[in-house]
Amino acid sequence: METILVKITPEDSGSAYKDAAQLLKENQVVGIPTETVYGLGGNAFSEEAVKRIFEAKGRPQDNPLIVHISEFDEIYELVSQVPDTARLLAEKFWPGPLTMILPKSDKVPLCVTGGLGTVAVRCPSHPVANRLIKETGLPIAAPSANLSGKPSPTRASHVYSDMNGRIPMVIDGGDCAEGVESTVITLATPVPKLLRPGNITISQLRQALGQVDVDDAVLNPLKSGERVSSPGMKYKHYSPDADIVVLCGEYKAFCDYVNQRKSDDTYAMVFDGEGDGLAVPCITYGTSGNYKELSHALFDSLRLLDEKGARVCFVRCPDRSNDDNLAVLNRLLRAASFKVVEL
Ligand code: TXA
Ligand code: MG
């Protein structure tokens, strides 16, 4: 299959949107920009489209998809019961990088939810995504547009490199503003629970709702046989080809540890302003203490390691005592398969 890459801006005339919407209505899969990461979009009501998404991504069938809508009222078609908490969160954070898990309606096929009775819903703020959903007139199921297991794509070129030959169209809507996937919260439990941290932080959620629990799997590896709240937690994630090791401690100790282990194709990933005293090539991923900068650069930096042919990369650990860093920590720990060294 030939994959076309089409640049679309929010102001474009309708025809570019019409072509993409036409493909979606025909149950084809289209790479679409969102403010978090690029998604692999398809008609959420079509089993055929959903099957194509799973095939293109190489994703296990029990890992459910997020369904994207263009405004709050479209939720009623997808969800059997809309609690006040969902309305409240939508008022504060939609359109934007927040996904809510709610009991699904009969219209949502089980293949979208991986057989679960709940569905994940999100209203993206990216103007291209929003307009495309409106133009298509359908809810759009979309996982991140990477091949399963690879870092999520934050640029159209990432999607093209993973999906070339697998889907008919990738829309280039520019680089993603957030760079990390949406926060996922379930409202289908007695107490709302954070399942995947993102740039809507746990403190923002608690400010809105009061008590919000954090799922154990956010920062811990699964114990064998443990039941997961979110199937995505089971799988190896966000991994570049390089072996990632997260080092926690002071910069001086980081340099000593890395320099003692220097060999060919060893890299370091450090904060902006660091690098002095390191005997290996390094890439930076933002200002320490600025979670938005770190999450914006993380996936891009992981992909850059592969482009450079890195075999091992030691990464500076963000401050674990600051809950705003949960999203970056969660992704880093998974990229490292939980290989963490306390210095
Ligand atoms: O920012 C995002 O959320 C991006 C963009 C494209 O919107 N999408 C995204 O989708 O990250 P994906 O499929 O890569 O991640 C969805 C996560 C998975 O970990 C999945 O297991 C979880 O959400 N999920 C989806 N439906 C669920 C459900 N009903 N119950 C629990 N977890 C669910
Ligand atoms: Mg993903």
Side-chain angles (χ1 to χ4, degrees):
M1 179 188 302
E2 197 201 342
T3 303
I4 55 166
L5 183 62
V6 188
K7 224 181 171 71
I8 303 188
T9 64
E11 303 78 33
D12 268 339
S13 71
S15 78
Y17 286 97
K18 280 209 170 61
D19 292 347
Q22 188 54 35
L23 282 171
L24 290 167
K25 286 184 210 164
E26 288 164 8
N27 300 329
Q28 298 290 340
V29 177
V30 176
I32 51 176
T34 85
E35 72 279 19
T36 55
V37 300
Y38 273 76
L40 271 187
N43 174 2
F45 289 147
S46 159
E47 291 190 10
E48 187 189 20
V50 171
K51 188 163 167 261
R52 287 187 170 134
I53 293 174
F54 279 99
E55 275 170 11
K57 194 173 157 81
R59 179 172 181 134
Q61 303 269 338
D62 68 343
N63 194 359
L65 308 180
I66 295 173
V67 180
H68 298 70
I69 56 180
S70 69
E71 58 186 281
F72 182 78
D73 282 355
E74 293 163 19
I75 203 172
Y76 295 102
E77 230 183 351
L78 303 171
V79 165
S80 62
Q81 218 195 349
V82 180
D84 289 342
T85 44
R87 252 177 236 110
L88 206 147
L89 289 180
E91 259 168 44
K92 278 195 184 298
F93 303 117
W94 276 5
L98 180 72
T99 297
M100 300 186 223
I101 311 277
L102 290 157
K104 83 174 197 68
S105 74
D106 293 340
K107 271 194 93 168
V108 177
L110 282 168
C111 57
V112 171
T113 67
L116 298 173
T118 52
V119 63
V121 188
R122 172 162 117 78
C123 178
S125 64
H126 195 295
V128 171
N130 203 277
R131 186 161 161 203
L132 184 61
I133 298 168
K134 279 215 159 64
E135 179 82 35
T136 310
L138 292 164
I140 300 297
S144 50
N146 49 293
L147 283 173
S148 200
K150 290 281 152 205
S152 295
T154 59
R155 304 168 189 262
S157 59
H158 298 158
V159 184
Y160 192 79
S161 109
D162 277 17
M163 290 298 148
N164 187 14
R166 304 173 82 95
I167 60 175
M169 183 187 274
V170 175
I171 297 174
D172 181 351
D175 296 350
C176 299
E178 304 282 345
V180 71
E181 305 93 334
S182 60
T183 302
V184 179
I185 185 170
T186 179
L187 301 176
T189 44
V191 175
K193 193 186 237 190
L194 178 76
L195 300 184
R196 181 178 71 181
N199 279 349
I200 307 281
T201 62
I202 182 71
S203 57
Q204 284 176 294
L205 294 171
R206 285 183 177 144
Q207 223 163 37
L209 296 182
Q211 191 186 352
V212 179
D213 292 340
V214 176
D215 199 279
D216 273 351
V218 165
L219 291 182
N220 298 296
L222 279 182
K223 297 170 200 88
S224 78
E226 190 178 352
R227 237 187 109 246
V228 286
S229 317
S230 185
M233 292 168 174
K234 279 192 302 201
Y235 297 105
K236 189 170 161 152
H237 252 100
Y238 318 118
S239 301
D241 295 333
D243 277 337
I244 304 292
V245 184
V246 181
L247 304 186
C248 303
E250 297 300 320
Y251 182 62
K252 170 82 176 60
F254 180 91
C255 293
D256 291 346
Y257 188 95
V258 173
N259 291 343
Q260 278 160 21
R261 285 159 185 81
K262 174 182 164 57
S263 66
D264 284 352
D265 309 322
T266 300
Y267 280 72
M269 206 160 116
V270 298
F271 302 127
D272 282 1
E274 296 178 341
D276 284 355
L278 274 173
V280 302
C282 63
I283 54 180
T284 58
Y285 77 117
T287 314
S288 155
N290 185 330
Y291 73 95
K292 289 227 167 180
E293 272 186 37
L294 297 177
S295 57
H296 185 257
L298 182 68
F299 288 136
D300 208 28
S301 303
L302 292 177
R303 282 187 178 252
L304 189 63
L305 287 173
D306 281 351
E307 282 166 32
K308 289 186 180 288
R311 210 176 37 79
V312 180
C313 181
F314 296 105
V315 183
R316 289 272 279 143
C317 187
D319 179 5
R320 286 173 292 180
S321 67
N322 180 354
D323 278 349
D324 290 348
N325 285 330
L326 274 180
V328 177
L329 274 167
N330 168 275
R331 308 309 190 275
L332 252 186
L333 290 173
R334 282 172 169 71
S337 301
F338 292 94
K339 273 188 281 304
V340 177
V341 176
E342 306 290 340
L343 296 170

